[in-house]
Amino acid sequence: MTISMRAVGTATSATAAVTAVNPAVPTGTEATDISILMVVAKPYNTTITTPSGWTKITEHAEGTIATGTDVGSTIVALYYKVGAAVGAIGNITQSNANSMGAQIMSYATTVGGWNVASFTQGGDTASAANYSATGAG
């Protein structure tokens, strides 16, 4: 099986009195593609509402540092949807965030289907470590 990136959507963000962001599935996405939505919010204890029709893969807070100007820990949430229609997906709401951003990437496969039951996640609690979420073939 070969997986390739089909399209990358425009990043959307909001700050200050943010209530929601509305990312879009990128142009070029096809009905057999899997779209991955990444949402990042600050502070780390923000509750992000799962968008309608999307399934959460994982959510990870990268620390517990209180928010302030140019400081504070963030939370990252990843979601997927197979066959997402091109265009805005509707508002992703949250509680407690003072800044929030989102972006959608779409991927194609050569086998004509996705084994989403095989999603796994991994992370490292060390300071400044990278975080990843992967899908198994």
Side-chain angles (χ1 to χ4, degrees):
M1 169 172 58
T2 301
I3 297 173
S4 59
M5 181 173 281
R6 171 133 13 232
V8 177
T10 302
T12 181
S13 63
T15 58
V18 60
T19 57
V21 292
N22 187 1
V25 175
T27 300
T29 300
E30 296 183 7
T32 56
D33 292 349
I34 190 167
S35 294
I36 305 296
L37 164 64
M38 179 178 62
V39 181
V40 180
K42 181 179 164 185
Y44 67 92
N45 58 354
T46 297
T47 300
I48 301 168
T49 303
T50 300
S52 178
W54 291 75
T55 302
K56 184 184 282 188
I57 300 168
T58 190
E59 186 175 89
H60 178 75
E62 57 82 31
T64 57
I65 298 172
T67 192
T69 304
D70 297 329
V71 297
S73 299
T74 59
I75 189 165
V76 177
L78 295 172
Y79 306 87
Y80 77 87
K81 185 173 184 176
V82 176
V86 171
I89 66 168
N91 284 340
I92 300 170
T93 60
Q94 55 73 36
S95 63
N96 197 41
N98 61 21
S99 62
M100 187 173 170
Q103 187 171 25
I104 300 172
M105 291 78 53
S106 295
Y107 297 86
T109 180
T110 57
V111 297
W114 296 94
N115 182 1
V116 294
S118 296
F119 271 119
T120 60
Q121 61 178 329
D124 188 335
T125 58
S127 179
N130 294 325
Y131 178 76
S132 68
T134 59

